[in-house]
């Protein structure tokens, strides 16, 4: 892996450009969607939250069958169709005027996004050699953060304008970004689908692979760091410390910038299962330290709290980058090459579950319990990180011959 933030020319760079295209649109969508649905569409905030919860629950359920579809029909074509479906779902928000249409549109959006993530992972696995995948995913994560930052800036301009036209422009931008993503993926070589003989042998699918299910569960626990940044830390700062509220934004910028600059470098040493589990163990130790430092920010003067919170955020983003690199390697290396879309669809449900259950868990632990809650959270993450090693060895010991590659890239039509 190089130190460059730009991946090598060829399929890897095209994948990164596709990631950049839709992440710009998503960044604008994320910062404006809540106000659009409440102020423009006219929905009550509680209904917006309920509708999005239902939507992402549906999205988590369809991720596996859509990933299996990518295996059976070919990941490139499936990814293109799901990118187009995502664009259509975003565009449908422009004409939504009631709660039920909103829920239906949100379910279509979440389902298409979940399936697209699985299909892209299967496409990446078919185009990129195993030893280069984690490095490319680090590039893609940096690209994602850069795109989200640009998109958030554009969304901020729409928020400043505060007009209906500005909000509609953001949603149109997001829809166009997925059209561009689909067009870029058409430039990639196709990857042949799984043979019919392999298809009939799957039975209950990934759920029968108990070691992989365990690895996914442990990774879901570690992914509680995601709502920690977006919800847990902001609530802690405003409810339990004397630090100024603007620090919430500053810590978000710190996290985003660090991932953009250092994720590729952090992933350099992760090249196999052993190095992946070591990286995850280190992330658990660092995360425990981060939680302990965050707990120290309560009951001190405002500027001392600021310094402590910044130190905790630095440790948190280091743990995040280590955990990300390790989990990417495990997700691919433990999945059968002939069922990559199905397995990546299942592994990706961890993100949805963490985002859905995380707010409830983190609110109870951090706001309700305070310092003991921080220490319990850090301890749980440490335990999950150390359990990943035995779970990985179990998965390796039970791996069958289906790990052998059965698909190869074929030229673009």
């Amino acid at each position: 892996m190089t130190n460059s933030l730009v991946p090598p020319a060829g399929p890897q760079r095209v994948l990164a450009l596709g990631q950049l295209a839709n992440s710009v649109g998503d960044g604008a969508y994320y910062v404006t969607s809540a106000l659009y649905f409440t102020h423009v569409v006219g929905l009550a905030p509680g209904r917006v939250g309920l509708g999005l919860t239902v939507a992402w629950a549906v999205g988590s359920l369809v991720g596996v069958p859509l990933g299996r579809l990518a295996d059976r029909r070919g990941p490139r074509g499936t990814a293109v169709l799901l990118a187009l479906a995502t664009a259509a779902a975003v565009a449908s928000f422009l004409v939504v005027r009631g709660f039920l249409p909103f829920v239906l549109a949100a379910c279509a959006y979440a389902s298409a996004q979940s399936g697209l993530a699985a299909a892209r992972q299967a496409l990446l696995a078919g185009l990129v050699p195993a030893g280069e995948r984690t490095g490319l995913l680090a590039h893609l994560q940096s690209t994602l953060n850069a795109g989200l930052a640009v998109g958030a800036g554009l969304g901020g301009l729409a928020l400043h304008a505060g007009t209906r036209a500005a909000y509609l422009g953001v949603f149109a931008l997001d829809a166009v970004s997925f059209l561009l993503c689909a067009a870029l993926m058409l430039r990639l070589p196709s990857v042949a689908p799984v043979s019919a003989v392999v298809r009939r042998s799957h039975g209950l699918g990934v759920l029968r692979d108990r070691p992989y299910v365990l690895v996914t569960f442990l990774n879901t626990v570690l992914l509680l760091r995601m709502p920690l940044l977006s919800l847990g830390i902001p609530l802690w700062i405003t409810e339990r410390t004397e630090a100024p509220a603007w620090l919430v934004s500053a810590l978000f910028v710190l996290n985003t910038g660090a991932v953009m600059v250092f994720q590729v470098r952090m992933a350099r040493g992760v090249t196999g299962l052993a190095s992946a589990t070591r990286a995850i163990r280190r992330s658990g130790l660092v995360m425990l330290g981060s939680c302990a430092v965050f707990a120290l920010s309560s009951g001190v003067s405002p500027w001392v709290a600021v310094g402590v919170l910044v130190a905790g955020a630095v440790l948190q983003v280091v743990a995040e980058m280590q955990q990300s690199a390790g989990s990417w390697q495990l997700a691919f290396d433990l999945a059968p090459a002939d069922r990559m879309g199905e397995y990546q669809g299942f592994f990706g449900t961890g993100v949805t579950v963490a985002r859905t259950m995380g707010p409830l868990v983190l609110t109870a632990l951090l706001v309700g319990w305070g310092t003991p809650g921080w220490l319990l959270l850090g301890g749980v993450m440490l335990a999950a990180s150390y359990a990943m090693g035995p779970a990985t060895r179990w998965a390796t010991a039970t791996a069958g011959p289906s790990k052998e590659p059965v698909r190869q890239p074929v030229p673009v039509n």
Side-chain angles (χ1 to χ4, degrees):
M1 185 189 307
T2 68
N3 290 330
S4 172
L5 295 180
V6 180
Q12 296 194 28
R13 188 168 296 176
V14 175
L15 286 167
L17 288 173
Q19 179 80 79
L20 179 64
N22 72 253
S23 62
V24 170
D26 276 345
Y29 168 85
Y30 291 151
V31 300
T32 59
S33 58
L35 291 180
Y36 172 79
F37 293 133
T38 54
H39 292 178
V40 177
V41 180
L43 299 175
R47 286 198 151 198
V48 173
L50 174 62
L52 293 177
T53 299
V54 170
W56 285 110
V58 171
S60 68
L61 293 176
V62 303
V64 172
L66 287 176
R68 188 176 296 168
L69 178 66
D71 291 331
R72 295 180 175 185
R73 301 298 181 186
R76 189 191 69 168
T78 304
V80 169
L81 289 176
L82 288 170
L84 295 175
T86 307
V90 173
S92 71
F93 285 131
L94 297 172
V95 296
V96 162
R97 293 295 178 268
F99 178 66
L100 182 58
F102 162 70
V103 172
L104 294 175
C107 287
Y109 172 78
S111 299
Q113 283 272 48
S114 297
L116 176 59
R120 286 168 107 170
Q121 296 290 75
L123 181 59
L124 185 153
L127 296 174
V128 179
E132 299 177 17
R133 292 171 189 164
T134 295
L136 175 58
L137 284 165
H139 281 295
L140 295 181
Q141 187 70 14
S142 298
T143 302
L144 171 67
N145 277 29
L148 291 176
V150 172
L154 296 174
L157 294 177
L159 292 176
H160 179 71
T163 64
R164 175 186 176 87
Y167 285 115
L168 294 179
V170 165
F171 278 73
L173 171 66
D174 196 21
V176 170
S177 75
F178 279 96
L179 293 177
L180 180 57
C181 175
L184 286 166
M185 286 190 291
L186 282 174
R187 296 177 53 191
L188 292 167
S190 183
V191 175
V194 178
S195 68
V197 174
V198 175
R199 292 180 203 169
R200 290 194 294 267
S201 67
H202 289 170
L204 295 176
V206 65
L207 294 178
R208 294 186 62 186
D209 192 339
R210 290 180 293 172
Y212 198 87
V213 171
L214 177 58
V215 168
T216 301
F217 168 75
L218 294 173
N219 189 63
T220 302
V221 174
L222 297 174
L223 286 174
L224 287 174
R225 61 170 175 76
M226 300 176 70
L228 179 65
L229 180 66
S230 61
L231 179 71
I233 293 174
L235 287 177
W236 173 259
I237 289 174
T238 56
E239 299 291 332
R240 289 279 195 155
T241 79
E242 300 297 324
W246 56 258
L247 187 63
V248 171
S249 177
L251 295 184
F252 183 84
V253 171
L254 169 65
N255 180 278
T256 303
V259 172
M260 286 172 54
V261 175
F262 296 111
Q263 180 69 80
V264 173
R265 187 176 304 173
M266 191 71 70
R268 183 186 304 148
V270 179
T271 56
L273 293 177
S275 55
T277 54
R278 284 197 300 271
I280 291 175
R281 281 198 302 270
R282 288 195 300 268
S283 78
L285 287 168
V286 176
M287 195 67 206
L288 175 61
S290 173
C291 289
V293 171
F294 277 129
L296 295 175
S297 62
S298 180
V300 296
S301 67
W303 291 108
V304 171
V306 167
V308 172
L309 288 165
V310 169
V314 170
L315 292 173
Q316 189 270 332
V317 74
V318 170
E320 172 185 337
M321 291 186 287
Q322 291 174 328
Q323 186 268 329
S324 294
S327 66
W328 295 331
Q329 190 78 33
L330 297 183
F332 281 112
D333 285 6
L334 297 178
D338 57 301
R339 299 162 66 185
M340 195 62 72
E342 176 187 352
Y343 270 61
Q344 298 311 307
F346 180 73
F347 197 80
T349 61
V351 174
T352 305
V353 172
R355 284 177 168 165
T356 302
M357 300 300 297
L360 178 64
V361 173
L362 294 178
T363 301
L365 286 179
L366 307 184
V367 179
W369 288 13
T371 297
W374 275 113
L375 297 179
L376 177 59
L377 176 65
V380 168
M381 289 191 168
L382 179 66
S385 69
Y386 268 76
M388 196 67 85
T392 300
R393 289 191 291 273
W394 182 25
T396 304
T398 58
S402 61
K403 297 284 181 180
E404 294 301 318
V406 298
R407 314 189 280 199
Q408 296 296 330
V410 298
V412 179
N413 296 330

